[in-house]
Amino acid sequence: MAETTHSGLAKTLSSKEVLILSFGAMIGWGWIILTGEWISEGGPVGAISAFVLGGIVVGFVAIIYSELASSMPLVGGEHVYSLRALGPIGSFICTWAIIFGYVTVAAFEAVALPSAMAYIVPGFNVVPLWSVAGEPVYASWVLVGVLGTLFVTYLNFIGIRPAAQFQIIMTVIIAFAGVVLIAGALIGGQPSPDPSFGAGTAGIFAVMLMVPFMFVGFDVIPQSAEEANVPPRTLGLLIILSVVMAALFYMAVIWGASRALPASTLVDSPLPAAAAMAELFDSQLMGQLMALAGIAGILTSWNAFIIGGSRALFALSESGMIPASLSKVHPEYNTPSNAILLIGGLSVLAPLFGEQMLTWIVNAGGLGIVTAWFFVVVSFLVLRYREPEMDRPYRVPAGYLVGALGFVMTAIFVSLYLPGGGSALLWPYEWLIVLLWCILGVVLFVVSGADTTASAEDLAGKLESLEKDDDV
């Protein structure tokens, strides 16, 4: 029988499972449909350069997470760090923001799955129901999105180990397709006819704006840290390694696709990575292989973000900041069952809004993700200053410099979403989603009658117990 943690969760994840959980979360569906746009905007070399630069930005944040995760390997990740550094109110804002990001990704996948099926299966769009923002919603879309949601929710409900093992299988499929694409580019590809740097600096910057959100997923490791049966220092290093692996994967796909087709052709294709694979091997069957890898990517992201989101909800509930029912642990499966069902329930609504919902929820959720990252960086700096003697199994070199750079970078990304920023959210749809989530958070916080003093004391008790276990 697996060891249980202080919170009643099962401590079952190995180092390999933790790493693949994070890596699989990052390499989702986006690269299948956006590869052509990246090459068109930045050129082959420019797009790769954008991922190098953007990967460095994300790398600073990941390194900061690594120190915090190794120091406080408790369920909830961001919630724990921000509670210790910023207190209950700051922690609630940080955690509610990251939950928003995770829920929107899960909802995105519930729409992306039928979207992918529509590309692969001829005549998939049947029985129109209604229209949203001018886009028809089909019964076939709703059915596939709902069935996919039920499957991934059930998989997480019955245990984190089955979910992690499923993640391994899907990630192997994606990696295999990527290796085949690279092999085809090496053997049968030709140098790209496009300018190496596309639209120049502006094009590189346009690609770079997309990069951080291609890497969302490494922060699932801190969320499930209490269920990882690995040493704290190793946990921190796995975060960094997963980001490096994802960066290399994205750059390899860009290079391989650029040697198959010109950017203009890739942009016109609904699945540019699949079109590149078909061209390299002169086989539509190989293109279908890449499309199936894209579906595997949808499932890996979906799976990982239900894990991350449910653990963050669990941690908030356990601290008394939202209703106690969300910290219920299933007696047989040792999972936060109610938190998982809540995320599944919210996700199942997304297909009802059709394909247009893809853009709205991604943009709105992006604000939540970068806001949480900003709070984590602030927490890192506060704890470095206030608790210099805190046990840090993995300690970031030049901590204050890394923290300062992370602060500036994450603050810039938050500003991009605000009115006047380069990625400002659309009114009313995207801002309405954000506002409704904020209202829901305030209502739950008030209804729970949060005892903020007790939540801080509870965290101190858990950390003290953790230190005693380490000493033993």
Side-chain angles (χ1 to χ4, degrees), residues 11 13-20 22 62-63 65-73 81 218 221-222 224-225 228-243 245 391-395 470:
K11 198 175 187 69
L13 296 179
S14 66
S15 296
K16 178 180 69 175
E17 290 167 334
V18 170
L19 178 63
I20 293 180
S22 175
I63 289 170
Y65 265 91
S66 297
E67 177 172 304
L68 294 171
S70 71
S71 304
M72 294 167 276
Y81 319 147
F218 71 83
I221 292 180
S224 55
N229 192 21
V230 297
R233 176 178 170 79
T234 301
L235 194 71
L237 294 174
L238 289 174
I239 296 175
I240 300 171
L241 178 58
S242 67
V243 170
M245 288 170 58
D391 182 34
R392 294 173 169 88
Y394 173 78
R395 190 178 184 89
D470 290 341

mmCIF file of all heavy atoms in Angstrom, residues 11 13-20 22 62-63 65-73 81 218 221-222 224-225 228-243 245 391-395 470:
data_model
loop_
_atom_site.group_PDB
_atom_site.id
_atom_site.type_symbol
_atom_site.label_atom_id
_atom_site.label_comp_id
_atom_site.label_asym_id
_atom_site.label_seq_id
_atom_site.Cartn_x
_atom_site.Cartn_y
_atom_site.Cartn_z
ATOM 1 N N LYS A 11 1.439 9.042 -1.600
ATOM 2 C CA LYS A 11 2.791 9.447 -2.016
ATOM 3 C C LYS A 11 3.343 8.357 -2.938
ATOM 4 O O LYS A 11 4.029 7.440 -2.493
ATOM 5 C CB LYS A 11 3.671 9.614 -0.777
ATOM 6 C CG LYS A 11 4.928 10.418 -0.988
ATOM 7 C CD LYS A 11 5.656 10.608 0.331
ATOM 8 C CE LYS A 11 6.836 11.550 0.190
ATOM 9 N NZ LYS A 11 6.422 12.940 -0.054
ATOM 10 N N LEU A 13 4.299 8.976 -6.715
ATOM 11 C CA LEU A 13 4.935 9.349 -7.977
ATOM 12 C C LEU A 13 6.450 9.186 -7.922
ATOM 13 O O LEU A 13 7.105 9.679 -6.998
ATOM 14 C CB LEU A 13 4.596 10.787 -8.353
ATOM 15 C CG LEU A 13 3.125 11.104 -8.646
ATOM 16 C CD1 LEU A 13 2.964 12.583 -8.977
ATOM 17 C CD2 LEU A 13 2.616 10.242 -9.794
ATOM 18 N N SER A 14 7.016 8.514 -8.929
ATOM 19 C CA SER A 14 8.470 8.376 -9.043
ATOM 20 C C SER A 14 9.046 9.598 -9.767
ATOM 21 O O SER A 14 8.302 10.427 -10.309
ATOM 22 C CB SER A 14 8.814 7.119 -9.828
ATOM 23 O OG SER A 14 8.373 7.246 -11.185
ATOM 24 N N SER A 15 10.371 9.687 -9.804
ATOM 25 C CA SER A 15 11.023 10.803 -10.510
ATOM 26 C C SER A 15 10.628 10.830 -11.976
ATOM 27 O O SER A 15 10.341 11.893 -12.543
ATOM 28 C CB SER A 15 12.547 10.675 -10.388
ATOM 29 O OG SER A 15 12.957 10.782 -9.062
ATOM 30 N N LYS A 16 10.607 9.646 -12.614
ATOM 31 C CA LYS A 16 10.236 9.575 -14.031
ATOM 32 C C LYS A 16 8.814 10.065 -14.257
ATOM 33 O O LYS A 16 8.544 10.814 -15.201
ATOM 34 C CB LYS A 16 10.376 8.134 -14.517
ATOM 35 C CG LYS A 16 9.976 7.921 -15.970
ATOM 36 C CD LYS A 16 10.142 6.469 -16.393
ATOM 37 C CE LYS A 16 9.140 5.568 -15.709
ATOM 38 N NZ LYS A 16 9.215 4.164 -16.190
ATOM 39 N N GLU A 17 7.902 9.661 -13.388
ATOM 40 C CA GLU A 17 6.501 10.063 -13.544
ATOM 41 C C GLU A 17 6.325 11.558 -13.322
ATOM 42 O O GLU A 17 5.554 12.220 -14.039
ATOM 43 C CB GLU A 17 5.624 9.256 -12.586
ATOM 44 C CG GLU A 17 5.510 7.795 -12.990
ATOM 45 C CD GLU A 17 4.917 6.923 -11.902
ATOM 46 O OE1 GLU A 17 5.035 7.283 -10.708
ATOM 47 O OE2 GLU A 17 4.343 5.868 -12.233
ATOM 48 N N VAL A 18 7.039 12.115 -12.354
ATOM 49 C CA VAL A 18 6.973 13.560 -12.112
ATOM 50 C C VAL A 18 7.478 14.325 -13.327
ATOM 51 O O VAL A 18 6.863 15.301 -13.775
ATOM 52 C CB VAL A 18 7.789 13.928 -10.857
ATOM 53 C CG1 VAL A 18 7.945 15.438 -10.739
ATOM 54 C CG2 VAL A 18 7.117 13.377 -9.604
ATOM 55 N N LEU A 19 8.613 13.889 -13.882
ATOM 56 C CA LEU A 19 9.207 14.570 -15.033
ATOM 57 C C LEU A 19 8.271 14.518 -16.243
ATOM 58 O O LEU A 19 8.040 15.538 -16.912
ATOM 59 C CB LEU A 19 10.551 13.928 -15.376
ATOM 60 C CG LEU A 19 11.290 14.492 -16.587
ATOM 61 C CD1 LEU A 19 11.657 15.954 -16.352
ATOM 62 C CD2 LEU A 19 12.545 13.675 -16.886
ATOM 63 N N ILE A 20 7.728 13.355 -16.536
ATOM 64 C CA ILE A 20 6.876 13.212 -17.712
ATOM 65 C C ILE A 20 5.542 13.916 -17.512
ATOM 66 O O ILE A 20 4.958 14.437 -18.464
ATOM 67 C CB ILE A 20 6.686 11.721 -18.053
ATOM 68 C CG1 ILE A 20 8.023 11.140 -18.521
ATOM 69 C CG2 ILE A 20 5.630 11.521 -19.124
ATOM 70 C CD1 ILE A 20 7.985 9.694 -18.898
ATOM 71 N N SER A 22 5.154 16.758 -16.037
ATOM 72 C CA SER A 22 5.432 18.159 -16.362
ATOM 73 C C SER A 22 5.706 18.346 -17.850
ATOM 74 O O SER A 22 5.137 19.243 -18.500
ATOM 75 C CB SER A 22 6.634 18.637 -15.543
ATOM 76 O OG SER A 22 7.003 19.939 -15.902
ATOM 77 N N ALA A 62 11.144 29.130 -13.579
ATOM 78 C CA ALA A 62 11.243 27.713 -13.207
ATOM 79 C C ALA A 62 12.310 27.487 -12.140
ATOM 80 O O ALA A 62 12.125 26.685 -11.220
ATOM 81 C CB ALA A 62 11.546 26.874 -14.448
ATOM 82 N N ILE A 63 13.437 28.194 -12.265
ATOM 83 C CA ILE A 63 14.507 28.064 -11.264
ATOM 84 C C ILE A 63 14.018 28.537 -9.899
ATOM 85 O O ILE A 63 14.314 27.924 -8.862
ATOM 86 C CB ILE A 63 15.756 28.860 -11.712
ATOM 87 C CG1 ILE A 63 16.425 28.154 -12.896
ATOM 88 C CG2 ILE A 63 16.749 28.996 -10.573
ATOM 89 C CD1 ILE A 63 17.519 28.970 -13.555
ATOM 90 N N TYR A 65 10.886 28.535 -8.889
ATOM 91 C CA TYR A 65 10.000 27.468 -8.421
ATOM 92 C C TYR A 65 10.801 26.307 -7.843
ATOM 93 O O TYR A 65 10.381 25.679 -6.871
ATOM 94 C CB TYR A 65 9.158 26.947 -9.584
ATOM 95 C CG TYR A 65 7.785 27.563 -9.735
ATOM 96 C CD1 TYR A 65 7.581 28.681 -10.537
ATOM 97 C CD2 TYR A 65 6.674 27.005 -9.105
ATOM 98 C CE1 TYR A 65 6.327 29.227 -10.705
ATOM 99 C CE2 TYR A 65 5.412 27.539 -9.265
ATOM 100 C CZ TYR A 65 5.232 28.658 -10.070
ATOM 101 O OH TYR A 65 3.985 29.192 -10.229
ATOM 102 N N SER A 66 11.943 26.008 -8.454
ATOM 103 C CA SER A 66 12.740 24.859 -8.016
ATOM 104 C C SER A 66 13.201 25.014 -6.575
ATOM 105 O O SER A 66 13.139 24.066 -5.787
ATOM 106 C CB SER A 66 13.953 24.698 -8.946
ATOM 107 O OG SER A 66 13.546 24.416 -10.258
ATOM 108 N N GLU A 67 13.687 26.207 -6.214
ATOM 109 C CA GLU A 67 14.112 26.420 -4.835
ATOM 110 C C GLU A 67 12.934 26.307 -3.878
ATOM 111 O O GLU A 67 13.028 25.653 -2.831
ATOM 112 C CB GLU A 67 14.770 27.798 -4.689
ATOM 113 C CG GLU A 67 15.156 28.102 -3.243
ATOM 114 C CD GLU A 67 15.971 29.366 -3.105
ATOM 115 O OE1 GLU A 67 17.019 29.459 -3.753
ATOM 116 O OE2 GLU A 67 15.554 30.268 -2.328
ATOM 117 N N LEU A 68 11.816 26.924 -4.248
ATOM 118 C CA LEU A 68 10.656 26.920 -3.357
ATOM 119 C C LEU A 68 10.071 25.518 -3.211
ATOM 120 O O LEU A 68 9.685 25.105 -2.115
ATOM 121 C CB LEU A 68 9.595 27.887 -3.890
ATOM 122 C CG LEU A 68 9.999 29.363 -3.882
ATOM 123 C CD1 LEU A 68 8.974 30.211 -4.634
ATOM 124 C CD2 LEU A 68 10.159 29.873 -2.451
ATOM 125 N N ALA A 69 10.001 24.772 -4.319
ATOM 126 C CA ALA A 69 9.441 23.418 -4.261
ATOM 127 C C ALA A 69 10.307 22.484 -3.435
ATOM 128 O O ALA A 69 9.798 21.615 -2.714
ATOM 129 C CB ALA A 69 9.283 22.867 -5.677
ATOM 130 N N SER A 70 11.621 22.646 -3.526
ATOM 131 C CA SER A 70 12.507 21.795 -2.729
ATOM 132 C C SER A 70 12.442 22.150 -1.248
ATOM 133 O O SER A 70 12.613 21.285 -0.385
ATOM 134 C CB SER A 70 13.950 21.920 -3.234
ATOM 135 O OG SER A 70 14.505 23.178 -2.904
ATOM 136 N N SER A 71 12.172 23.420 -0.955
ATOM 137 C CA SER A 71 12.106 23.879 0.434
ATOM 138 C C SER A 71 10.786 23.513 1.093
ATOM 139 O O SER A 71 10.731 23.237 2.296
ATOM 140 C CB SER A 71 12.282 25.400 0.505
ATOM 141 O OG SER A 71 13.480 25.798 -0.103
ATOM 142 N N MET A 72 9.706 23.543 0.303
ATOM 143 C CA MET A 72 8.357 23.309 0.849
ATOM 144 C C MET A 72 7.605 22.325 -0.048
ATOM 145 O O MET A 72 6.681 22.710 -0.773
ATOM 146 C CB MET A 72 7.601 24.640 0.953
ATOM 147 C CG MET A 72 8.181 25.607 1.964
ATOM 148 S SD MET A 72 7.510 27.290 1.797
ATOM 149 C CE MET A 72 8.574 27.947 0.498
ATOM 150 N N PRO A 73 7.982 21.045 -0.026
ATOM 151 C CA PRO A 73 7.338 20.059 -0.904
ATOM 152 C C PRO A 73 5.978 19.612 -0.375
ATOM 153 O O PRO A 73 5.779 18.454 0.007
ATOM 154 C CB PRO A 73 8.351 18.905 -0.920
ATOM 155 C CG PRO A 73 9.015 18.990 0.407
ATOM 156 C CD PRO A 73 9.098 20.458 0.744
ATOM 157 N N TYR A 81 3.891 28.596 -0.860
ATOM 158 C CA TYR A 81 4.958 29.603 -0.891
ATOM 159 C C TYR A 81 4.406 30.987 -0.558
ATOM 160 O O TYR A 81 4.988 31.737 0.234
ATOM 161 C CB TYR A 81 5.627 29.666 -2.273
ATOM 162 C CG TYR A 81 5.858 28.328 -2.929
ATOM 163 C CD1 TYR A 81 5.787 28.199 -4.312
ATOM 164 C CD2 TYR A 81 6.155 27.196 -2.179
ATOM 165 C CE1 TYR A 81 5.994 26.972 -4.939
ATOM 166 C CE2 TYR A 81 6.359 25.970 -2.789
ATOM 167 C CZ TYR A 81 6.266 25.862 -4.174
ATOM 168 O OH TYR A 81 6.458 24.662 -4.786
ATOM 169 N N PHE A 218 5.088 23.224 -16.215
ATOM 170 C CA PHE A 218 6.151 22.841 -15.274
ATOM 171 C C PHE A 218 5.701 23.063 -13.843
ATOM 172 O O PHE A 218 6.157 22.384 -12.917
ATOM 173 C CB PHE A 218 7.440 23.626 -15.560
ATOM 174 C CG PHE A 218 7.378 25.080 -15.209
ATOM 175 C CD1 PHE A 218 7.593 25.519 -13.917
ATOM 176 C CD2 PHE A 218 7.086 26.037 -16.181
ATOM 177 C CE1 PHE A 218 7.532 26.869 -13.594
ATOM 178 C CE2 PHE A 218 7.030 27.382 -15.875
ATOM 179 C CZ PHE A 218 7.243 27.799 -14.571
ATOM 180 N N ILE A 221 4.371 20.326 -11.195
ATOM 181 C CA ILE A 221 5.227 19.577 -10.262
ATOM 182 C C ILE A 221 5.073 20.099 -8.830
ATOM 183 O O ILE A 221 4.838 19.308 -7.903
ATOM 184 C CB ILE A 221 6.706 19.614 -10.705
ATOM 185 C CG1 ILE A 221 6.889 18.811 -12.003
ATOM 186 C CG2 ILE A 221 7.615 19.043 -9.612
ATOM 187 C CD1 ILE A 221 8.322 18.785 -12.527
ATOM 188 N N PRO A 222 5.186 21.421 -8.600
ATOM 189 C CA PRO A 222 4.975 21.891 -7.231
ATOM 190 C C PRO A 222 3.582 21.593 -6.683
ATOM 191 O O PRO A 222 3.428 21.346 -5.485
ATOM 192 C CB PRO A 222 5.192 23.415 -7.359
ATOM 193 C CG PRO A 222 6.054 23.576 -8.543
ATOM 194 C CD PRO A 222 5.646 22.500 -9.485
ATOM 195 N N SER A 224 1.773 18.975 -7.126
ATOM 196 C CA SER A 224 1.665 17.575 -6.698
ATOM 197 C C SER A 224 2.888 17.129 -5.894
ATOM 198 O O SER A 224 3.133 15.925 -5.739
ATOM 199 C CB SER A 224 1.493 16.666 -7.921
ATOM 200 O OG SER A 224 2.548 16.863 -8.848
ATOM 201 N N ALA A 225 3.656 18.089 -5.360
ATOM 202 C CA ALA A 225 4.923 17.764 -4.697
ATOM 203 C C ALA A 225 4.748 16.791 -3.547
ATOM 204 O O ALA A 225 5.598 15.924 -3.312
ATOM 205 C CB ALA A 225 5.592 19.051 -4.200
ATOM 206 N N ALA A 228 4.852 13.182 -4.570
ATOM 207 C CA ALA A 228 6.056 12.716 -5.257
ATOM 208 C C ALA A 228 6.976 12.016 -4.266
ATOM 209 O O ALA A 228 7.379 12.599 -3.254
ATOM 210 C CB ALA A 228 6.779 13.898 -5.887
ATOM 211 N N ASN A 229 7.315 10.791 -4.551
ATOM 212 C CA ASN A 229 8.187 10.009 -3.679
ATOM 213 C C ASN A 229 9.646 10.185 -4.126
ATOM 214 O O ASN A 229 10.312 9.219 -4.515
ATOM 215 C CB ASN A 229 7.766 8.545 -3.716
ATOM 216 C CG ASN A 229 8.428 7.722 -2.626
ATOM 217 O OD1 ASN A 229 8.888 8.262 -1.620
ATOM 218 N ND2 ASN A 229 8.479 6.423 -2.830
ATOM 219 N N VAL A 230 10.103 11.441 -4.101
ATOM 220 C CA VAL A 230 11.473 11.776 -4.535
ATOM 221 C C VAL A 230 12.065 12.771 -3.534
ATOM 222 O O VAL A 230 11.333 13.504 -2.872
ATOM 223 C CB VAL A 230 11.484 12.389 -5.957
ATOM 224 C CG1 VAL A 230 10.979 11.394 -6.975
ATOM 225 C CG2 VAL A 230 10.667 13.667 -6.022
ATOM 226 N N PRO A 231 13.400 12.820 -3.414
ATOM 227 C CA PRO A 231 14.035 13.776 -2.502
ATOM 228 C C PRO A 231 13.708 15.215 -2.895
ATOM 229 O O PRO A 231 13.544 15.516 -4.085
ATOM 230 C CB PRO A 231 15.532 13.483 -2.661
ATOM 231 C CG PRO A 231 15.601 12.097 -3.217
ATOM 232 C CD PRO A 231 14.390 11.943 -4.066
ATOM 233 N N PRO A 232 13.614 16.142 -1.932
ATOM 234 C CA PRO A 232 13.266 17.524 -2.231
ATOM 235 C C PRO A 232 14.177 18.181 -3.266
ATOM 236 O O PRO A 232 13.703 18.894 -4.154
ATOM 237 C CB PRO A 232 13.385 18.220 -0.867
ATOM 238 C CG PRO A 232 13.102 17.138 0.122
ATOM 239 C CD PRO A 232 13.688 15.907 -0.473
ATOM 240 N N ARG A 233 15.499 17.979 -3.162
ATOM 241 C CA ARG A 233 16.408 18.603 -4.124
ATOM 242 C C ARG A 233 16.146 18.074 -5.537
ATOM 243 O O ARG A 233 16.152 18.832 -6.511
ATOM 244 C CB ARG A 233 17.865 18.327 -3.729
ATOM 245 C CG ARG A 233 18.870 18.873 -4.750
ATOM 246 C CD ARG A 233 20.310 18.635 -4.312
ATOM 247 N NE ARG A 233 21.229 18.935 -5.394
ATOM 248 C CZ ARG A 233 21.622 20.139 -5.751
ATOM 249 N NH1 ARG A 233 21.157 21.195 -5.104
ATOM 250 N NH2 ARG A 233 22.462 20.318 -6.750
ATOM 251 N N THR A 234 15.896 16.777 -5.653
ATOM 252 C CA THR A 234 15.597 16.192 -6.961
ATOM 253 C C THR A 234 14.333 16.803 -7.545
ATOM 254 O O THR A 234 14.246 17.064 -8.749
ATOM 255 C CB THR A 234 15.423 14.670 -6.840
ATOM 256 O OG1 THR A 234 16.630 14.107 -6.298
ATOM 257 C CG2 THR A 234 15.132 14.035 -8.181
ATOM 258 N N LEU A 235 13.345 17.048 -6.687
ATOM 259 C CA LEU A 235 12.095 17.661 -7.138
ATOM 260 C C LEU A 235 12.371 19.007 -7.812
ATOM 261 O O LEU A 235 11.831 19.307 -8.879
ATOM 262 C CB LEU A 235 11.158 17.844 -5.948
ATOM 263 C CG LEU A 235 9.698 18.152 -6.252
ATOM 264 C CD1 LEU A 235 9.009 16.920 -6.829
ATOM 265 C CD2 LEU A 235 8.984 18.613 -4.985
ATOM 266 N N GLY A 236 13.226 19.812 -7.186
ATOM 267 C CA GLY A 236 13.576 21.105 -7.770
ATOM 268 C C GLY A 236 14.286 20.972 -9.103
ATOM 269 O O GLY A 236 13.986 21.701 -10.059
ATOM 270 N N LEU A 237 15.213 20.030 -9.199
ATOM 271 C CA LEU A 237 15.956 19.849 -10.444
ATOM 272 C C LEU A 237 15.074 19.317 -11.570
ATOM 273 O O LEU A 237 15.291 19.641 -12.738
ATOM 274 C CB LEU A 237 17.125 18.891 -10.198
ATOM 275 C CG LEU A 237 18.214 19.411 -9.253
ATOM 276 C CD1 LEU A 237 19.243 18.323 -8.973
ATOM 277 C CD2 LEU A 237 18.904 20.643 -9.826
ATOM 278 N N LEU A 238 14.050 18.526 -11.232
ATOM 279 C CA LEU A 238 13.144 18.009 -12.251
ATOM 280 C C LEU A 238 12.364 19.131 -12.936
ATOM 281 O O LEU A 238 12.047 19.039 -14.124
ATOM 282 C CB LEU A 238 12.170 16.998 -11.631
ATOM 283 C CG LEU A 238 12.766 15.648 -11.214
ATOM 284 C CD1 LEU A 238 11.720 14.810 -10.477
ATOM 285 C CD2 LEU A 238 13.289 14.889 -12.427
ATOM 286 N N ILE A 239 12.045 20.179 -12.201
ATOM 287 C CA ILE A 239 11.348 21.325 -12.787
ATOM 288 C C ILE A 239 12.195 21.949 -13.885
ATOM 289 O O ILE A 239 11.727 22.203 -14.998
ATOM 290 C CB ILE A 239 11.005 22.369 -11.703
ATOM 291 C CG1 ILE A 239 10.012 21.786 -10.693
ATOM 292 C CG2 ILE A 239 10.431 23.635 -12.333
ATOM 293 C CD1 ILE A 239 9.715 22.703 -9.518
ATOM 294 N N ILE A 240 13.466 22.185 -13.577
ATOM 295 C CA ILE A 240 14.377 22.793 -14.555
ATOM 296 C C ILE A 240 14.555 21.877 -15.761
ATOM 297 O O ILE A 240 14.501 22.326 -16.914
ATOM 298 C CB ILE A 240 15.737 23.090 -13.897
ATOM 299 C CG1 ILE A 240 15.566 24.062 -12.725
ATOM 300 C CG2 ILE A 240 16.714 23.663 -14.917
ATOM 301 C CD1 ILE A 240 16.810 24.256 -11.892
ATOM 302 N N LEU A 241 14.760 20.590 -15.517
ATOM 303 C CA LEU A 241 14.966 19.640 -16.601
ATOM 304 C C LEU A 241 13.756 19.573 -17.527
ATOM 305 O O LEU A 241 13.903 19.513 -18.759
ATOM 306 C CB LEU A 241 15.264 18.252 -16.024
ATOM 307 C CG LEU A 241 15.464 17.119 -17.044
ATOM 308 C CD1 LEU A 241 16.605 17.443 -18.002
ATOM 309 C CD2 LEU A 241 15.719 15.791 -16.322
ATOM 310 N N SER A 242 12.547 19.617 -16.972
ATOM 311 C CA SER A 242 11.348 19.536 -17.811
ATOM 312 C C SER A 242 11.233 20.741 -18.733
ATOM 313 O O SER A 242 10.815 20.608 -19.894
ATOM 314 C CB SER A 242 10.100 19.408 -16.939
ATOM 315 O OG SER A 242 9.855 20.584 -16.193
ATOM 316 N N VAL A 243 11.620 21.926 -18.261
ATOM 317 C CA VAL A 243 11.576 23.129 -19.093
ATOM 318 C C VAL A 243 12.597 23.024 -20.230
ATOM 319 O O VAL A 243 12.307 23.377 -21.382
ATOM 320 C CB VAL A 243 11.826 24.390 -18.239
ATOM 321 C CG1 VAL A 243 12.032 25.622 -19.118
ATOM 322 C CG2 VAL A 243 10.663 24.630 -17.284
ATOM 323 N N MET A 245 13.761 20.279 -21.594
ATOM 324 C CA MET A 245 13.269 19.280 -22.542
ATOM 325 C C MET A 245 12.187 19.863 -23.449
ATOM 326 O O MET A 245 12.184 19.626 -24.665
ATOM 327 C CB MET A 245 12.719 18.072 -21.781
ATOM 328 C CG MET A 245 13.781 17.206 -21.132
ATOM 329 S SD MET A 245 13.081 15.955 -20.000
ATOM 330 C CE MET A 245 11.992 15.037 -21.101
ATOM 331 N N ASP A 391 15.715 26.154 5.343
ATOM 332 C CA ASP A 391 16.331 25.003 4.682
ATOM 333 C C ASP A 391 15.954 25.001 3.202
ATOM 334 O O ASP A 391 14.773 24.961 2.848
ATOM 335 C CB ASP A 391 15.855 23.712 5.351
ATOM 336 C CG ASP A 391 16.507 22.485 4.731
ATOM 337 O OD1 ASP A 391 17.676 22.581 4.319
ATOM 338 O OD2 ASP A 391 15.833 21.441 4.660
ATOM 339 N N ARG A 392 16.958 25.064 2.344
ATOM 340 C CA ARG A 392 16.748 25.083 0.890
ATOM 341 C C ARG A 392 17.606 23.990 0.263
ATOM 342 O O ARG A 392 18.761 24.216 -0.097
ATOM 343 C CB ARG A 392 17.132 26.449 0.312
ATOM 344 C CG ARG A 392 16.220 27.599 0.777
ATOM 345 C CD ARG A 392 16.751 28.953 0.307
ATOM 346 N NE ARG A 392 15.799 30.025 0.508
ATOM 347 C CZ ARG A 392 15.689 30.743 1.631
ATOM 348 N NH1 ARG A 392 16.493 30.466 2.665
ATOM 349 N NH2 ARG A 392 14.805 31.713 1.717
ATOM 350 N N PRO A 393 17.046 22.772 0.103
ATOM 351 C CA PRO A 393 17.825 21.660 -0.491
ATOM 352 C C PRO A 393 18.389 22.006 -1.858
ATOM 353 O O PRO A 393 19.487 21.578 -2.211
ATOM 354 C CB PRO A 393 16.796 20.533 -0.578
ATOM 355 C CG PRO A 393 15.827 20.824 0.528
ATOM 356 C CD PRO A 393 15.724 22.315 0.566
ATOM 357 N N TYR A 394 17.618 22.748 -2.651
ATOM 358 C CA TYR A 394 18.163 23.312 -3.896
ATOM 359 C C TYR A 394 18.150 24.820 -3.738
ATOM 360 O O TYR A 394 17.105 25.432 -3.540
ATOM 361 C CB TYR A 394 17.339 22.917 -5.122
ATOM 362 C CG TYR A 394 17.808 23.651 -6.362
ATOM 363 C CD1 TYR A 394 18.957 23.244 -7.037
ATOM 364 C CD2 TYR A 394 17.148 24.781 -6.824
ATOM 365 C CE1 TYR A 394 19.419 23.937 -8.143
ATOM 366 C CE2 TYR A 394 17.595 25.484 -7.937
ATOM 367 C CZ TYR A 394 18.726 25.050 -8.590
ATOM 368 O OH TYR A 394 19.195 25.746 -9.676
ATOM 369 N N ARG A 395 19.312 25.441 -3.821
ATOM 370 C CA ARG A 395 19.432 26.886 -3.623
ATOM 371 C C ARG A 395 19.849 27.544 -4.934
ATOM 372 O O ARG A 395 20.862 27.164 -5.533
ATOM 373 C CB ARG A 395 20.458 27.183 -2.525
ATOM 374 C CG ARG A 395 20.491 28.639 -2.084
ATOM 375 C CD ARG A 395 21.502 28.836 -0.956
ATOM 376 N NE ARG A 395 21.469 30.213 -0.463
ATOM 377 C CZ ARG A 395 20.688 30.639 0.508
ATOM 378 N NH1 ARG A 395 19.879 29.769 1.117
ATOM 379 N NH2 ARG A 395 20.699 31.896 0.886
ATOM 380 N N ASP A 470 12.061 14.660 7.819
ATOM 381 C CA ASP A 470 13.344 14.672 7.135
ATOM 382 C C ASP A 470 14.473 14.304 8.072
ATOM 383 O O ASP A 470 15.426 13.598 7.709
ATOM 384 C CB ASP A 470 13.603 16.064 6.517
ATOM 385 C CG ASP A 470 12.686 16.352 5.338
ATOM 386 O OD1 ASP A 470 12.127 15.387 4.786
ATOM 387 O OD2 ASP A 470 12.521 17.536 4.988
#
